[in-house]
Amino acid sequence: MPARSFAAEAVVLDTQDHGEADLIVTFLGLERGRMTGIAKGAKRSKRRFVNKLEIFSFLHLTCSESSASSLLFIHEAELHSSFLRLRTDPALYLTASVIREVLLLAIREGERDEDIFRLALWALHGLDEGRPALPLLALFLLKFYSGIGYRPELQVCMACGQVVAPAREFTFSHLGGGLICPACTAASGGTGTILSPGTIRIMQSAQELPLDKLHRLVLSGPMLDQCLSALHQYGRHLFQRDIHAWSLLEPHGRRRRATAADQR
Ligand SMILES: [Zn+2]
């Protein structure tokens, strides 16, 4: 089969040297989801690819594919945005790195998902525009887990089905991925992050709001800490491993390690 040429909108998630001249690049694409391609001569041909095949860059690609290789061939890349600001601010860069890491962990090749692509772009644009990084990360993860089929249950107790009461603390179970009422928490000796009523309300709103309205939600102080702790631990459980970039992120913000008071 002859090589078939096509265009794609994509964000660079990873790059890897290949031999002396080539670069293997992993993208999250609008039309095809995750994809991997080779840019022949990318390390030599400064003219074609310079400053483009960088992690986080949002590109318009011209590629081709052939039945002889599982790799796409990347012929050209035009820059939509390099998200310059998040390359120059360590806290923003590390937040974007957590987002990149969970995308790489959760998204397989051949799974086209426009919503995930738009969510990733929303997050990168938001960081680049100077939105507060950690609240943005929390909102991203809430939407992301839903997008990959693990929507946190925030409406009813996962054990007894009781509707979440607006004035009570509930425990977010990292193993179950949802709220457990106080009675069921006590009965089961369950563990998790305790969420205040205010935190639960903001997280519920975040699940319902479309991306363009998400920035209206104000997450800060203890509510932000609770939300991030719950989503971080839930992610570790989902992926069955640490999210490495998170451990680098923490010294840049206030330390958010779960305290004894936060955990049951
Ligand atoms: Zn219950």
Side-chain angles (χ1 to χ4, degrees):
M1 194 175 79
R4 195 178 71 83
S5 200
F6 63 95
E9 309 301 314
V11 171
V12 177
L13 291 184
D14 204 9
T15 65
Q16 220 182 316
D17 288 348
H18 183 74
E20 294 208 343
D22 305 340
L23 208 56
I24 292 189
V25 188
T26 304
F27 300 96
L28 182 70
L30 171 65
E31 297 86 354
R32 296 178 168 226
R34 178 173 173 162
M35 51 190 191
T36 306
I38 185 163
K40 287 281 190 186
K43 287 158 66 186
R44 289 209 187 109
S45 165
K46 293 295 179 199
R47 192 171 46 84
R48 263 198 310 164
F49 290 123
V50 68
N51 293 338
K52 292 174 185 166
L53 298 177
E54 308 272 350
I55 287 170
F56 303 129
S57 285
F58 175 29
L59 305 171
H60 176 84
L61 300 173
T62 308
C63 318
S64 64
E65 61 184 340
S66 83
S67 53
S69 171
S70 60
L71 287 176
L72 301 172
F73 287 87
I74 304 157
H75 300 292
E76 267 182 87
E78 289 167 41
L79 202 57
H80 287 307
S81 176
S82 63
F83 303 114
L84 202 58
R85 184 166 177 173
L86 62 87
R87 295 173 196 284
T88 52
D89 180 323
L92 297 183
Y93 190 85
L94 286 170
T95 305
S97 298
V98 173
I99 290 168
R100 163 182 173 262
E101 188 170 337
V102 298
L103 286 167
L104 284 168
L105 283 171
I107 310 295
R108 303 268 165 268
E109 298 228 349
E111 294 172 0
R112 175 180 190 270
D113 191 327
E114 268 192 53
D115 289 342
I116 292 288
F117 180 79
R118 293 191 193 288
L119 176 63
L121 268 190
W122 170 86
L124 293 174
H125 277 300
L127 290 172
D128 201 50
E129 288 161 6
R131 305 271 184 191
L134 293 178
L136 182 143
L137 176 62
L139 297 172
F140 168 84
L141 288 173
L142 262 170
K143 291 288 196 197
F144 182 68
Y145 294 149
S146 296
I148 60 172
Y150 293 94
R151 181 183 167 103
E153 174 55 66
L154 301 173
Q155 304 297 331
V156 297
C157 168
M158 292 190 80
C160 70
Q162 180 198 138
V163 174
V164 171
R168 301 193 67 177
E169 289 181 337
F170 275 61
T171 303
F172 185 86
S173 161
H174 312 137
L175 301 184
L179 296 177
I180 306 285
C181 74
C184 290
T185 301
S188 68
T191 59
T193 305
I194 298 171
L195 302 182
S196 71
T199 307
I200 294 169
R201 272 196 299 277
I202 288 198
M203 291 172 74
Q204 288 171 336
S205 300
Q207 284 189 327
E208 301 310 320
L209 284 174
L211 282 182
D212 61 338
K213 300 207 165 62
L214 217 47
H215 287 308
R216 292 178 183 176
L217 298 175
V218 178
L219 250 180
S220 61
M223 291 201 287
L224 175 60
D225 290 346
Q226 291 169 11
C227 186
L228 279 176
S229 168
L231 296 171
H232 180 198
Q233 299 305 329
Y234 183 39
R236 289 178 64 187
H237 170 68
L238 284 181
F239 304 127
Q240 293 289 300
R241 46 157 281 189
D242 273 327
I243 300 167
H244 297 306
W246 205 299
S247 58
L248 302 170
L249 178 70
E250 286 190 321
H252 278 268
R254 280 174 294 136
R255 288 207 165 260
R256 292 173 195 288
R257 294 195 190 288
T259 62
D262 185 36
Q263 301 282 315
R264 270 184 189 148

